[in-house]
Amino acid sequence: AQSVTQPDIHITVSEGASLELRCNYSYGATPYLFWYVQSPGQGLQLLLKYFSGDTLVQGIKGFEAEFKRSQSSFNLRKPSVHWSDAAEYFCAVVPAKTSYDKVIFGPGTSLSVIP
Amino acid sequence: NAGVTQTPKFQVLKTGQSMTLQCAQDMNHNSMYWYRQDPGMGLRLIYYSASEGTTDKGEVPNGYNVSRLNKREFSLRLESAAPSQTSVYFCASKSRGTGFTYEQYFGPGTRLTVT
C-alpha cells in the first residue's frame, strides 16, 4: 500500500547535538517531498521541499534534507539543535503522476531537546 | 493578509449534535483541505477541494460533509457528532497552476471535543 512512514515516534537530543529524523515513502514514482514543523498549539509551517534536481535541499531554521531514491527516503537533518527546535515534525508527500492536489502526511516525530 | 483562518478555535459538542467548521483563505489559492490530527496518527486528510465547485474524499471522509462555498471558503460539517470525532481539525490551502510550488498553508486549528 502507498504510505509515508516516520519510524521514530519520539526523539530526545541534547541542545547542540546533531539531529536526523527519518522519512520513508512507498510510491511507485518519485513523489514531491516536504518537511513541516508544528510547534505546540500551532499550525504547520513548511521547512523545506524537494521536487527534482539536487538531492540535498536546504530549508529554513538551519535544516536540510537529503533525498535518496534507492532507499525511498527523505531524511531531515540539523547539525546543531537549539532548544526552540522542540516540536512535532511531519514528512509529507504529493504522489507523482496524480493531480498534485492530494497531500499525504506521515504520522510525525516528536522532538524533545534537553538544555 | 490573514492567510488561513478557522472558526471556532474550540468547541465542545454532545453526541448527536451537528456543527460546521469554517475556513477562509485570502491568498487566492485554488485548492483547500481539511485534515484531522490525532495523537500518533499525524494528519489525515478528510476532504479536499482542488478548485471552486469540486470536492473529493480523502483518507477518512466518513461522518463528514464539505462545502466549497466560493474560492475563499471551505466548510466542514459534522451532521451527527460522535466521540470518535474528537480531534484537532486543520484547514489548509495551496496554489494550483503553472509555477505552483505545492506548499500548503495551514490555519491555526479547531480543537473539537465530543462528549
Side-chain angles (χ1 to χ4, degrees), chain B residues 7-8 11 13 17-21 76-79 110 112:
Chain B
T7 55
Q11 184 71 50
L13 291 178
Q17 288 184 317
S18 63
M19 80 160 295
T20 300
L21 280 63
L76 178 72
R77 182 160 179 84
L78 287 69
E79 291 290 352
T110 294
L112 175 67

Side-chain angles (χ1 to χ4, degrees), chain A residues 32 34 36 38 42-44 46 49 51 90 99-107, chain B residues 31 33 35 37 40-43 45 48 50 90 94 96 101-104 106-107:
Chain A
Y32 299 108
F34 305 80
Y36 284 85
Q38 183 183 33
Q42 304 294 315
L44 278 72
L46 181 70
K49 59 198 175 193
F51 297 147
F90 294 94
S99 63
Y100 305 116
D101 291 303
K102 202 166 184 177
V103 184
I104 305 298
F105 283 80
Chain B
S31 302
Y33 304 79
Y35 292 91
Q37 183 178 29
M41 307 288 287
L43 274 76
L45 183 62
Y48 67 102
F90 286 98
K94 179 167 73 68
R96 190 170 190 258
T101 64
Y102 308 96
E103 175 182 355
Q104 287 182 307
F106 285 82

Side-chain angles (χ1 to χ4, degrees), chain B residues 2-72:
Chain B
V4 180
T5 57
Q6 292 182 236
T7 55
K9 285 189 167 49
F10 300 94
Q11 184 71 50
V12 179
L13 291 178
K14 290 184 173 13
T15 298
Q17 288 184 317
S18 63
M19 80 160 295
T20 300
L21 280 63
Q22 306 287 352
C23 174
Q25 52 91 11
D26 61 2
M27 295 174 283
N28 201 36
H29 287 168
N30 293 96
S31 302
M32 297 186 73
Y33 304 79
W34 277 105
Y35 292 91
R36 60 177 289 173
Q37 183 178 29
D38 303 291
M41 307 288 287
L43 274 76
R44 291 183 291 170
L45 183 62
I46 305 172
Y47 271 93
Y48 67 102
S49 170
S51 60
E52 187 178 352
T54 69
T55 60
D56 286 284
K57 294 178 180 179
E59 303 165 87
V60 289
N62 292 345
Y64 304 95
N65 286 300
V66 290
S67 295
R68 184 72 183 267
L69 305 169
N70 47 55
K71 191 171 185 180
R72 289 187 65 248

